[in-house]
Amino acid sequence: MKQKKKWYDYLWIVSLTYLILGFFNILFAWLGLLCFFIPLLIAIIKGNKAYCNKYCGRGQLFSLIGGRFGLSRKKDMPAWMKSSGFRYGFLIFFFAMFFFMLWNTWLVFSGAKDLKTVVTLLWTFKVPWHWAYHGTLFSEGVAQFAFGFYSVMLTSTVLGLVTMILFKPRSWCIYCPMGTMTQLICRARNVTASQKP
């Protein structure tokens, strides 16, 4: 019997809409912060990875493209990509790039640097994205953060698509920095809970 779809089974539409909106107006990139804070809050409050398992629209999108549309080789990832060393290393690298992006944002806020209307893909390739910036009522630092954050979201989507094609549809979920971080939070929370008298 086919299981009835729940509302959260359609969150892939939200992920796709986010990427499209950022293409036309970069300030929509700020909405991506929800994908950072909601998983962390669920892990802290509930002590589980419900976001990854149920609510992650990106994972759903990869399942749809790779599974239903058959664009995945459906192969197992190499053992080294599943290892804790790789996952924690990628988490550290990801946050180093994230904090570098915040530093650039601060420089624009402080006036020490001009706004760059580019999206940095894979932390290396600067892709012009000027058509998506229409000015802001706030500091240009607000727009700089949007460009930087959209770069992070687009880069992780590209990495997810590549691993989806090469391996199983949701291979990105194995080394996703948010997934690794929520897993660490859940472990710490559960250890703390088990030590309470």
Side-chain angles (χ1 to χ4, degrees):
M1 184 176 169
K2 196 172 182 180
Q3 198 173 15
K4 190 177 178 182
K5 293 263 189 183
K6 304 274 196 323
W7 63 269
Y8 50 76
D9 291 322
Y10 297 96
L11 288 173
W12 63 269
I13 298 171
V14 175
S15 284
L16 188 59
T17 302
Y18 172 81
L19 292 171
I20 293 168
L21 288 174
F23 186 84
F24 293 104
N25 191 323
I26 199 64
L27 294 181
F28 280 111
W30 278 84
L31 294 174
L33 285 174
L34 293 172
C35 298
F36 267 55
F37 290 122
I38 292 174
L40 296 178
L41 287 172
I42 290 174
I44 291 166
I45 296 167
K46 297 285 189 181
N48 61 42
K49 293 185 66 175
Y51 183 86
C52 295
N53 298 328
K54 284 185 180 178
Y55 308 118
C56 179
R58 179 178 296 179
Q60 292 176 11
L61 187 62
F62 294 149
S63 288
L64 183 69
I65 298 171
R68 190 181 300 176
F69 296 141
L71 296 180
S72 171
R73 293 171 65 229
K74 297 182 174 65
K75 303 287 186 184
D76 282 332
M77 292 177 75
W80 64 268
M81 289 188 79
K82 296 179 183 179
S83 69
S84 56
F86 177 76
R87 289 186 293 112
Y88 295 145
F90 187 73
L91 176 67
I92 292 166
F93 172 76
F94 185 87
F95 273 98
M97 295 297 102
F98 185 78
F99 287 119
F100 181 69
M101 179 268 290
L102 290 179
W103 172 249
N104 281 328
T105 298
W106 167 250
L107 291 177
V108 174
F109 264 117
S110 65
K113 195 173 181 180
D114 292 331
L115 171 68
K116 302 289 184 198
T117 55
V118 296
V119 164
T120 307
L121 195 58
L122 299 172
W123 301 288
T124 306
F125 307 104
K126 296 190 182 301
V127 183
W129 217 262
H130 52 277
W131 63 82
Y133 179 60
H134 311 287
T136 176
L137 297 173
F138 310 102
S139 164
E140 285 189 339
V142 171
Q144 189 63 64
F145 178 86
F147 278 107
F149 199 78
Y150 192 77
S151 298
V152 169
M153 297 297 276
L154 191 60
T155 290
S156 54
T157 301
V158 169
L159 289 174
L161 286 170
V162 170
T163 49
M164 175 207 77
I165 292 167
L166 294 175
F167 309 113
K168 290 181 178 177
R170 291 189 69 153
S171 293
W172 162 255
C173 301
I174 292 173
Y175 66 101
C176 168
M178 292 309 299
T180 303
M181 194 157 51
T182 53
Q183 186 178 50
L184 289 171
I185 291 169
C186 291
R187 282 180 183 169
R189 187 183 183 279
N190 293 332
V191 165
T192 304
S194 67
Q195 290 174 347
K196 287 182 180 178

